[in-house]
């Protein structure tokens, strides 16, 4: 009406009318407020205040198929819409962020981010996913969990080198606690192949394996290994060998 908006009106929502504002050329859309409330210039702003409306987005799909609703993030390194330039390792692909008001401004509280994790190529796009939370008493996000392009999961580390890599800095406290208040808590280490062993390894600061507890599924014996040398073996009949892998007596 004054050149500031291409269109300004209202849409019916739950028997109430909420503002719908389209900026020139439809580049910015505001629903729920005439003010375009965004953080870094996002084109769509949804705002709710008061009443019984919680705000947000509802995605509803009625489909006799296995497919599900989808939010699709796409990224090209080209500034021209419709043109493609390959992204680089470390480039962000998409993210979700949650913020809460501290009384005078919004502060980050948690986030989920996806980045390129390696050098892309034709039909080759390695990726990683990171989960962040903000520690109590601060206003900065800290990465807590990472899943890299190999499927390795890191907790407390951004460079996991195993399917599960947990690194603690709790000042001597346990880095993992297993509890069950209905039955005995247990940790299961299982080999799906009966010809393979179930192994619990212990390493030094350089991740060199210096100790090992090994269950042999072939003869149902338990081995205790120190510095790559077997120290104790317990056979399936209960015989214990120290310095021998074939004890003939109870000890």
């Amino acid at each position: 009406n004054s050149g500031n908006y291409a269109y300004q009106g209202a849409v019916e929502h739950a028997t109430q009318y909420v503002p719908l504002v389209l900026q020139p050329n439809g580049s910015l859309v505001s629903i729920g407020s005439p003010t375009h409330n965004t953080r870094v210039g996002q084109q769509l702003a949804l705002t709710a205040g008061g009443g019984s409306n919680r705000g947000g987005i509802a995605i509803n799909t009625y489909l006799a198929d296995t497919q599900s609703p989808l939010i699709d993030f796409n990224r090209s390194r080209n500034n021209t819409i419709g043109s493609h330039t390959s992204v680089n390792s470390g480039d962000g692909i998409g993210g979700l962020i949650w913020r809460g008001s501290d009384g005078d401004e919004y502060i980050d509280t948690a986030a989920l981010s996806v980045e390129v994790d390696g050098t892309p190529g034709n039909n080759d796009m390695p990726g990683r996913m990171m989960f962040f939370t903000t520690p109590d008493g601060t206003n900065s996000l800290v990465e807590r969990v990472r899943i890299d392009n190999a499927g390795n999961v890191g907790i407390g580390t951004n460079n996991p080198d195993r399917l599960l890599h947990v690194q603690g800095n709790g000042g001597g406290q346990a880095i993992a606690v297993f509890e069950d208040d209905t039955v005995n808590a247990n940790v299961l280490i299982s080999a799906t192949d009966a010809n393979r062993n179930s192994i619990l390894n212990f390493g030094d600061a350089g991740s060199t394996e210096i100790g090992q507890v090994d269950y042999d599924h072939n003869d149902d014996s338990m081995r205790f290994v120190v510095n790559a040398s077997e120290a104790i073996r317990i056979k399936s009949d209960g015989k214990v060998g120290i310095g021998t892998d074939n004890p003939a007596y109870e000890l």
Side-chain angles (χ1 to χ4, degrees):
N1 54 6
S2 63
N4 293 325
Y5 305 117
Y7 172 80
Q8 179 170 340
V11 293
E12 187 175 1
H13 175 69
T15 71
Q16 295 181 346
Y17 286 93
V18 298
L20 171 62
V21 178
L22 304 180
Q23 301 285 2
N25 301 321
S27 60
L28 301 177
V29 179
S30 299
I31 299 176
S33 172
T35 303
H36 194 75
N37 298 306
T38 62
R39 185 179 189 182
V40 289
Q42 296 95 327
Q43 288 91 338
L44 175 62
L46 305 178
T47 305
S52 60
N53 295 328
R54 295 183 60 178
I57 300 174
I59 302 176
N60 307 294
T61 299
Y62 301 86
L63 179 66
D65 202 336
T66 59
Q67 303 301 317
S68 64
L70 176 68
I71 298 176
D72 195 358
F73 294 88
N74 301 279
R75 169 80 191 279
S76 168
R77 256 188 172 266
N78 199 299
N79 288 331
T80 302
I81 294 177
S83 297
H84 284 276
T85 298
S86 177
V87 291
N88 298 327
S89 182
D91 281 356
I93 297 298
L96 299 172
I97 192 165
W98 292 264
R99 298 192 295 159
S101 176
D102 67 353
D104 56 25
E105 62 180 331
Y106 288 121
I107 301 297
D108 297 341
T109 183
L112 168 63
S113 179
V114 174
E115 296 177 353
V116 181
D117 190 30
T119 302
N122 188 39
N123 294 319
D124 177 17
M125 191 57 60
R128 61 177 175 245
M129 181 175 289
M130 295 92 72
F131 299 81
F132 301 79
T133 62
T134 300
D136 188 22
T138 74
N139 61 0
S140 298
L141 292 168
V142 175
E143 182 179 336
R144 305 300 193 180
V145 179
R146 174 175 296 208
I147 305 174
D148 68 11
N149 72 78
N152 295 329
V153 178
I155 301 176
T157 175
N158 59 12
N159 187 32
D161 61 2
R162 297 290 190 275
L163 285 178
L164 179 60
H165 184 164
V166 182
Q167 180 174 316
N169 57 358
Q173 295 182 358
I175 61 173
V177 177
F178 300 91
E179 291 184 339
D180 193 316
D181 49 5
T182 58
V183 296
N184 294 329
N186 67 82
V187 178
L188 176 64
I189 301 176
S190 177
T192 58
D193 186 339
N195 294 318
R196 298 184 181 275
N197 295 350
S198 298
I199 302 172
L200 177 62
N201 284 307
F202 303 87
D204 60 14
S207 297
T208 301
E209 295 174 358
I210 58 176
Q212 176 179 301
V213 178
D214 182 336
Y215 184 85
D216 189 334
H217 290 272
N218 288 305
D219 61 4
D220 292 324
S221 64
M222 182 81 74
R223 301 188 310 142
F224 296 83
V225 178
V226 180
N227 290 327
S229 298
E230 180 177 330
I232 300 175
R233 177 173 297 218
I234 305 175
K235 297 180 65 176
S236 61
D237 59 5
K239 293 183 173 65
V240 179
I242 300 176
T244 175
D245 59 8
N246 188 28
Y249 305 96
E250 289 188 0
L251 180 60

